[in-house]
Amino acid sequence: MSHPSPRLRFLATGLFALSLAFTPALRAQRAPVEAQHGMVTSVHELASLAGLEMLQRGGNAIDAAVATGLALTVVHPFAGIIGGGGFMLIRLADGRSVALDYRERAPASATRDMYVGPDGNVLSGPASSTVGWRASGVPGSIAGFALALQKYGSGKLSWADVCEPARRLAADGHRVTPIAAALHRTHAKLLTQFDESKKIFLNGGAFWKPGDLWIQADLAATFARLQKNGPREFYEGATARLIADAMKKNGGLITLADLQAYQVAERTPLHGTYRGYDIITMPPPSSGGIALLQMFAMLEPHDVGALGAQSAAKYHLFTEVMRRAFRDRAEYLGDPDFVKVPVAELLDRTYLKKRMADFSPTRATPSEKIEPGLGTVKLTSLPPGFPGLSLSHHSTLNAQLARLAPESTETTHFSIVDAAGNAVANTSTLNGGYGSGVTIPGTGILMNNEMDDFTAKVGVKNMFGLLQGPANAIVPGKRPLSSMTPTIVLKDKKLFFVTGSPGGPTIINTVLQIVSNVIDFGMSVTQAVESPRIHHQWMPDSLSYERNGLSTDTANILKSLGHSFKERASYEGAYQGDGETIMVDPQTNLRLGASDLRRGDSKAVGY
Ligand code: DON
């Protein structure tokens, strides 16, 4: 047997030492995507690339956001976009911030009890708030994107420029991913009810297969009309007429006048702090920002970081703050243009300290025992004849509790940071996966079922199992209460990270946990996004966790404290949210993109 010569051995040892010196730090988690200038992260690579294209052409984060949002309409119809609405939270590099509220509005002919049948029960089936022609609010996405571009865009790219990636993707087609193919197929029951949707999303019933080139000619033509005629095309052009005519023919509510009257609201973002970090987030009609800031204020007196990121003690504390915040959500929140939302009172630290006075580290508080913290609801600006019913006093409430179970749903969030440091957190939605299931013939536009986010009837759950109050009752022109929580965090007053998620009410808790993972536990951006998540929404009184996201011994401790559980089930439901997040490294100024592995097509791209 021959041995290597001492010289060779010396050389090999030297090389080994050298290789160690150049080995990057070992990591137990995925590294983020790093870029020097700009970063886009969204649920679909092609939509992220659409935004990147704008950044590389000299556009800013807002230009990129519009391109990404429009492209998502084509490649991620599950969450739609242009047939729906959403929120765009913008923080400019100069420190200004604004929240664009392009949420859907109730059509003029909508009424408070429109989804309640003659027997007093909430309607299901074709006349319901979830499926079909009557389920849609007036879409706001195009108006929102147009305002964003006009007021906050770089001025270097035109409306036609930012529409182009979406038009191109629709006209030239894109390859169907395995995930998209599965999503279309699993929603076949909804989509087959509407011929136009069956034709487009189910390939006429033959289904799209992974790898198929999928061309959406009608949608391409819609984008071409939008490019040629400008964004008002959607609200008063041929597109508006196609929407209004189809609605009329099929018993829908949206008229040409509703479309013409749609207005985006520019709102002042909520601004709070958590352990010295600034939190900029969405004001009403989102419930998300208020609930998020309430929960942070309730957590702050506790040394969360010392509890352990996945400990029973942390999950217990988080569950208790979640159930208190969601209780207030049900009672006080609605569209601020229609009801007085007691924002300052809800965020008052003394109030929130009192709210946690009955917190016990060794015992779960039953949700039934949690009263709305500010007393019964005071609704000062309701339309005449509106009964001042308080959810807390509704006798049928408890009878509903046993039947609450979340269903499959979809929304989408994307985050963008540009080279100058402008940031966008945008969450858009059709509400349910493929919205109402209705595609407007000749347009390729899939419509939302956002009317279900209103209170159809006090004391009856909506599709997310949420119980809601009279503050969120249907009124013409009103926006339904939302949970979407686009959020931007500053460190030392400088942009630190941008986040948000889909997931109905779970959105708020997903954002809570991502932010806490970074601030309380010092996690990297990828680890913060990937860590397991929990959810509690007051009612049902059940703590849900991700598949394999809670160890048996942790669960046993929580059980001994009195919590009841539910492992999330079903394809969309097994994992909570999709926290597309970008961090700006305070040391290097690099943009660190963390797409969320929970949605397989998501991708962070930068340059
Ligand atoms: O605005 C809301 O709160 C809901 N329409 C969001 C729906 C949603 O996130 C569904 N997602 N998975």
Side-chain angles (χ1 to χ4, degrees):
M1 199 168 144
S2 72
H3 291 282
S5 71
R7 234 182 109 183
L8 263 180
R9 242 185 293 151
F10 175 76
L11 203 67
T13 316
L15 281 175
F16 179 67
L18 207 66
S19 75
L20 271 187
F22 286 95
T23 303
L26 296 176
R27 308 172 198 255
Q29 76 249 191
R30 191 170 56 122
V33 175
E34 295 185 357
Q36 276 189 309
H37 307 290
M39 176 77 64
V40 184
T41 185
S42 84
V43 74
H44 200 292
E45 181 172 10
L46 295 172
S48 298
L49 288 171
L52 184 67
E53 185 183 325
M54 300 299 119
L55 294 181
Q56 289 182 310
R57 284 178 60 185
N60 68 6
I62 293 87
D63 300 327
V66 177
T68 294
L70 295 174
L72 281 167
T73 304
V74 186
V75 298
H76 192 59
F78 192 38
I81 309 278
I82 71 169
F87 300 137
M88 187 186 289
L89 181 67
I90 298 172
R91 181 177 187 271
L92 299 170
D94 65 13
R96 282 179 295 152
S97 58
V98 65
L100 298 185
D101 166 3
Y102 57 93
R103 183 113 169 118
E104 300 88 334
R105 300 177 71 185
S109 61
T111 58
R112 191 195 63 189
D113 295 326
M114 63 183 282
Y115 301 113
V116 180
D119 58 359
N121 290 328
V122 171
L123 297 169
S124 56
S128 72
S129 60
T130 53
V131 179
W133 294 87
R134 276 164 48 90
S136 299
V138 183
S141 296
I142 291 292
F145 290 164
L147 184 73
L149 185 78
Q150 177 225 324
K151 231 173 141 175
Y152 301 100
S154 66
K156 292 184 191 143
L157 298 172
S158 67
W159 172 251
D161 290 334
V162 294
C163 287
E164 181 56 15
R167 190 208 59 78
R168 212 171 52 211
L169 283 165
D172 301 349
H174 77 283
R175 297 282 166 192
V176 175
T177 65
I179 287 172
L183 285 177
H184 294 341
R185 195 181 271 269
T186 51
H187 288 73
K189 208 171 129 204
L190 171 69
L191 295 165
T192 36
Q193 295 175 46
F194 306 98
D195 290 345
E196 194 77 1
S197 297
K198 180 176 174 188
K199 186 177 85 186
I200 297 173
F201 302 104
L202 303 177
N203 196 11
F207 294 114
W208 293 107
K209 288 181 281 307
D212 282 351
L213 182 70
W214 182 27
I215 292 172
Q216 298 173 70
D218 287 345
L219 192 55
T222 295
F223 279 118
R225 282 195 307 279
L226 282 163
Q227 284 177 308
K228 182 159 171 268
N229 304 328
R232 292 306 297 165
E233 162 66 26
F234 190 93
Y235 296 96
E236 47 202 34
T239 309
R241 285 192 297 278
L242 284 166
I243 296 172
D245 290 350
M247 283 280 162
K248 192 166 177 193
K249 198 168 139 206
N250 294 283
L253 271 71
I254 299 173
T255 63
L256 200 54
D258 286 323
L259 288 162
Q260 279 165 346
Y262 184 85
Q263 295 271 339
V264 182
E266 273 192 84
R267 304 193 189 276
T268 306
L270 293 178
H271 186 176
T273 60
Y274 184 53
R275 303 193 200 284
Y277 291 80
D278 290 88
I279 315 282
I280 301 170
T281 188
M282 195 67 206
S286 173
S287 60
I290 289 186
L292 185 69
L293 295 180
Q294 283 192 307
M295 292 193 285
F296 280 137
M298 289 188 266
L299 289 176
E300 208 166 46
H302 299 262
D303 188 357
V304 171
L307 298 178
Q310 287 156 43
S311 66
K314 182 197 121 169
Y315 287 148
H316 172 63
L317 173 64
F318 274 51
T319 302
E320 293 304 315
V321 304
M322 287 170 184
R323 81 167 97 233
R324 284 163 177 78
F326 272 84
R327 180 66 189 94
D328 282 355
R329 178 198 196 277
E331 191 75 16
Y332 303 112
L333 298 190
D335 181 347
D337 296 340
F338 285 75
V339 293
K340 184 171 171 349
V341 181
V343 178
E345 292 89 330
L346 289 169
L347 296 180
D348 182 76
R349 295 230 169 202
T350 314
Y351 162 65
L352 292 163
K353 198 167 162 222
K354 222 170 84 201
R355 196 88 177 105
M356 281 293 271
D358 59 349
F359 166 74
S360 157
T362 54
R363 189 175 31 81
T365 318
S367 283
E368 281 169 309
K369 295 248 160 70
I370 307 268
E371 288 295 324
L374 295 173
T376 52
V377 72
K378 290 179 216 74
L379 297 172
T380 52
S381 46
L382 285 169
F386 194 97
L389 189 65
S390 164
L391 180 59
S392 58
H393 292 159
H394 200 273
S395 56
T396 62
L397 187 63
N398 287 344
Q400 304 293 334
L401 304 184
R403 303 192 278 116
L404 307 180
E407 287 164 22
S408 102
T409 51
E410 194 49 71
T411 292
T412 194
H413 176 85
F414 56 87
S415 295
I416 304 185
V417 176
D418 67 20
N422 301 300
V424 172
N426 184 98
T427 316
S428 294
T429 187
L430 292 183
N431 196 23
Y434 301 89
S436 64
V438 166
T439 302
I440 304 295
T443 68
I445 300 171
L446 190 57
M447 295 297 287
N448 68 83
N449 58 349
E450 217 70 57
M451 292 298 282
D452 190 63
D453 273 348
F454 279 118
T455 310
K457 186 178 172 188
V458 172
V460 176
K461 63 162 185 158
N462 74 356
M463 63 190 266
F464 301 109
L466 284 171
L467 290 172
Q468 317 206 68
N472 187 31
I474 303 172
V475 180
K478 191 174 172 186
R479 291 159 152 90
L481 186 62
S482 172
S483 299
M484 294 185 288
T485 317
T487 296
I488 294 176
V489 178
L490 311 182
K491 183 179 187 180
D492 302 326
K493 306 290 171 205
K494 290 212 271 300
L495 179 66
F496 186 29
F497 65 100
V498 184
T499 193
S501 177
T506 68
I507 293 172
I508 311 171
N509 292 333
T510 294
V511 172
L512 174 82
Q513 288 163 89
I514 291 174
V515 176
S516 161
N517 284 344
V518 174
I519 294 179
D520 290 314
F521 298 100
M523 289 188 195
S524 72
V525 66
T526 36
Q527 197 178 22
V529 167
E530 280 156 23
S531 289
R533 299 172 186 146
I534 59 153
H535 175 67
H536 198 291
Q537 61 181 45
W538 168 58
M539 291 294 181
D541 192 347
S542 155
L543 196 167
S544 71
Y545 59 95
E546 297 185 297
R547 187 167 296 166
N548 294 318
L550 196 66
S551 71
T552 308
D553 42 13
T554 310
N556 285 339
I557 298 173
L558 288 163
K559 252 181 232 157
S560 73
L561 301 182
H563 294 282
S564 54
F565 295 94
K566 189 167 179 302
E567 182 181 275
R568 297 176 68 84
S570 88
Y571 169 68
E572 292 102 280
Y575 301 102
Q576 181 179 319
D578 174 42
E580 303 294 319
T581 303
I582 302 172
M583 183 178 278
V584 177
D585 186 316
Q587 266 84 47
T588 61
N589 209 29
L590 285 173
R591 282 79 175 106
L592 309 176
S595 61
D596 194 328
L597 298 174
R598 291 170 179 82
R599 300 283 194 282
D601 290 333
S602 69
K603 190 88 173 172
V605 298
Y607 77 112

